[in-house]
Amino acid sequence: QVQLVESGGGLVQAGGSLILSCAVSGRTFSATSVGWFRQVPGTGRELAAAIRWDRTATYYETSVKGRFTISRDNAKNTVYLQMASLKPEDTGVYYCAAGGWSTSPEDYKTWGQGTQVTVSS
């Protein structure tokens, strides 16, 4: 069974940076793809970035390409999301999720509790 705990959210000014961490417990972490979703009130969860279980592929939503970097350290069972050049529209709750290699939230079976990111203008 996989469990995920996010950390690293907070308040930052536009143009600033944050690093989110997702600590993953469970024996199958090295075989699990992980995605970072974000959600703003009144909307569904949107995949911002994902990394395949074997690190052979990454995905970035168009608006974050060139600004966000996803990585994973299988030795530490942790996935990171480095966010730079943050914009007010990046504000939302960020969730990490474990599951299939997919952009659809329905394909991710295990979710963390979420961490708030607020970017002020």
Side-chain angles (χ1 to χ4, degrees):
Q1 183 177 355
V2 175
Q3 293 182 316
L4 303 95
V5 178
E6 303 98 335
S7 61
L11 173 64
V12 64
Q13 288 188 329
S17 301
L18 281 175
I19 299 176
L20 305 184
S21 298
C22 175
V24 183
S25 63
R27 295 179 298 166
T28 60
F29 172 72
S30 61
T32 302
S33 297
V34 175
W36 281 99
F37 288 79
R38 62 185 178 186
Q39 186 173 27
V40 298
T43 69
R45 295 180 183 182
E46 174 191 52
L47 182 65
I51 187 164
R52 188 175 154 90
W53 65 273
D54 56 5
R55 290 180 284 190
T56 59
T58 55
Y59 165 86
Y60 295 98
E61 193 274 326
T62 300
S63 69
V64 309
K65 283 182 180 178
R67 300 188 298 120
F68 290 12
T69 303
I70 190 170
S71 61
R72 63 189 293 159
D73 184 336
N74 285 354
K76 295 183 177 179
N77 279 22
T78 302
V79 176
Y80 304 96
L81 185 66
Q82 297 175 273
M83 305 187 294
S85 302
L86 283 162
K87 304 175 181 180
E89 51 264 43
D90 293 318
T91 294
V93 179
Y94 283 69
Y95 299 89
C96 66
W101 178 241
S102 169
T103 60
S104 172
E106 286 73 25
D107 293 326
Y108 290 78
K109 305 306 179 186
T110 307
W111 293 78
Q113 82 286 356
T115 186
Q116 176 71 44
V117 171
T118 303
V119 184
S120 63
S121 58

